Amino acid sequence: MWLIKFWTNVLAGLAIIFTVLSVAGRKWWVFALMEHPRVQYSLILVIALFVSLLTSRKRINIWNFSCFIALSINLILIFPLFIPINQNSNQALDTPPQTIRVIHATLDSKQPDVTKAIEYLNKQKTDILFLLEVTPESLTRLNKGLTNYRLVATQPNYNSHGIAWFIPQEKTKTIQPKTAKFITLPIYSNRALLKATVTYSGREIILLCFHVISPRNAETVAYQQIEFDALASWSQRTLENGKQDLIVIGDFNSTPWYGPFRKLVSESGLINSQRGFGIQTTWHSVFPPVLRIPIDHCLHSKSLTTIKRFIGNDIGSDHLPLLVELRLD
């Protein structure tokens, strides 16, 4: 038992240190990266508190108090994901809800074999399918293998910047593709983002397939903030200039409790679809759920309500796919 307690305390000590340092994420990029594994910190601290309460004579001591404070910091940031946002629907009670289902999947640009992804996606019923990290080689296989879908717009690339938009071959709803445009956020970015516009029951819906740089060093962490700020500004302008519904979905390479991501949600005028649905981890797919983190997200305008949100199965990528169903209020 003493060995279990020793290693539990070692891990808990690191969790306490990393939790405290993560509060200063704006000061240094290394501290910023420490913000992401908050679920893992929380689990370690819960176990440490449990072991300490079982083995310590004094239940109220400095160690237990430190674990409790660190645990509280993490849970304060995680807990809102389990609280749904109350939105009032303008639809009549006797009217069937109008919904749009969107799937986002990040492939692996270094893995040309997309057989697993094709098998999984062909089984899904969706209105919009966005794929990231699409290469010229994988696009050929996708176009041939996704027999239930047809390609609307694409810009494949040999790096991680490739993108594609598919819609179902069989139309079950009156959703019509209107325009497809590639934009950059910020304007000088070298990564093209797909802005898709569809019409549905007289409403215009704008969808943006978003992809953020992966945080690896000081430069990429700083550039993430630039990309988030650019998205927030673009979202504000889009919502101000018309009555369109707006959906932003993709690989944000950030957890929902990460400071810059929370700032994005606050300033963009959008709602995080994850609210009320829990943690729903997407990366890394080979890890057990307890070790994964949620970095794929869907944000939407207040004119929409998330009614279903879940994570898909392994598709041969390091990401798991994200499936969101939204109701038009």
Side-chain angles (χ1 to χ4, degrees), residues 281-296:
T281 57
T282 60
W283 184 90
H284 192 289
S285 62
V286 300
F287 293 166
V290 72
L291 296 180
R292 294 199 299 256
I293 57 176
I295 64 173
D296 296 87

Side-chain angles (χ1 to χ4, degrees), residues 285-323:
S285 62
V286 300
F287 293 166
V290 72
L291 296 180
R292 294 199 299 256
I293 57 176
I295 64 173
D296 296 87
H297 302 287
C298 174
L299 310 179
H300 59 81
S301 55
K302 296 177 182 178
S303 56
L304 304 170
T305 299
T306 305
I307 58 174
K308 292 181 182 178
R309 189 187 194 278
F310 55 95
I311 305 303
N313 300 334
D314 180 18
I315 57 171
S317 168
D318 54 343
H319 290 251
L320 297 175
L322 171 63
L323 299 86

Side-chain angles (χ1 to χ4, degrees), residues 15-303:
I16 293 171
I17 294 171
F18 291 164
T19 297
V20 173
L21 294 178
S22 69
V23 177
R26 294 183 180 181
K27 302 296 183 182
W28 191 31
W29 69 272
V30 175
F31 295 162
L33 294 182
M34 293 179 184
E35 293 189 59
H36 297 300
R38 294 201 181 278
V39 172
Q40 289 72 28
Y41 298 158
S42 299
L43 290 174
I44 291 171
L45 291 167
V46 166
I47 293 171
L49 276 170
F50 179 74
V51 171
S52 180
L53 291 174
L54 285 179
T55 58
S56 300
R57 293 181 180 178
K58 287 185 63 177
R59 294 190 174 183
I60 300 177
N61 52 51
I62 294 177
W63 174 250
N64 289 352
F65 182 74
S66 300
C67 289
F68 177 77
I69 293 298
L71 177 61
S72 299
I73 292 172
N74 292 302
L75 291 183
I76 286 171
L77 294 167
I78 296 172
F79 187 67
L81 296 179
F82 294 87
I83 304 175
I85 296 177
N86 293 324
Q87 292 178 255
N88 296 321
S89 175
N90 296 322
Q91 284 189 333
L93 295 177
D94 58 347
T95 303
Q98 296 175 321
T99 64
I100 182 169
R101 197 179 196 214
V102 186
I103 294 180
H104 147 71
T106 299
L107 305 176
D108 186 347
S109 58
K110 299 177 182 178
Q111 172 57 264
D113 186 3
V114 289
T115 304
K116 208 169 183 179
I118 290 171
E119 290 177 354
Y120 175 78
L121 294 171
N122 268 331
K123 296 176 183 178
Q124 308 308 310
K125 294 182 179 180
T126 189
D127 304 307
I128 303 290
L129 171 59
F130 285 131
L131 300 178
L132 291 176
E133 297 201 24
V134 177
T135 65
E137 185 176 355
S138 66
L139 179 63
T140 301
R141 299 189 181 191
L142 290 164
N143 219 359
K144 183 179 179 180
L146 289 175
T147 54
N148 294 340
Y149 299 91
R150 67 178 178 90
L151 182 65
V152 181
T154 184
Q155 192 172 107
N157 209 312
Y158 286 104
N159 57 23
S160 63
H161 296 188
I163 192 169
W165 172 25
F166 290 83
I167 60 172
Q169 293 277 14
E170 182 182 352
K171 294 182 179 179
T172 58
K173 298 178 183 177
T174 58
I175 299 174
Q176 297 291 335
K178 185 178 179 182
T179 61
K181 182 180 179 181
F182 291 95
I183 66 173
T184 54
L185 296 174
I187 193 65
Y188 54 82
S189 172
N190 63 352
R191 187 196 303 271
L193 307 174
L194 176 57
K195 175 188 173 185
T197 306
V198 302
T199 57
Y200 183 21
S201 297
R203 293 172 65 163
E204 187 174 271
I205 304 173
I206 295 176
L207 302 101
L208 180 67
C209 188
F210 194 56
H211 196 181
V212 181
I213 194 169
S214 177
R216 301 179 301 273
N217 49 46
E219 289 74 22
T220 53
V221 170
Y223 192 69
Q224 258 196 350
Q225 180 66 74
I226 294 173
E227 289 180 306
F228 284 152
D229 289 343
L231 173 59
S233 298
W234 177 84
S235 173
Q236 290 173 356
R237 293 194 303 269
T238 302
L239 294 174
E240 289 173 358
N241 292 339
K243 296 182 180 180
Q244 304 99 331
D245 305 294
L246 179 57
I247 301 170
V248 180
I249 191 168
D251 177 7
F252 286 67
N253 271 311
S254 299
T255 49
W257 43 80
Y258 182 50
F261 183 90
R262 290 187 289 118
K263 180 173 179 283
L264 163 66
V265 175
S266 174
E267 296 180 353
S268 64
L270 301 175
I271 293 173
N272 184 2
S273 66
Q274 198 172 355
R275 287 288 302 268
F277 291 88
I279 299 171
Q280 296 195 335
T281 57
T282 60
W283 184 90
H284 192 289
S285 62
V286 300
F287 293 166
V290 72
L291 296 180
R292 294 199 299 256
I293 57 176
I295 64 173
D296 296 87
H297 302 287
C298 174
L299 310 179
H300 59 81
S301 55
K302 296 177 182 178
S303 56

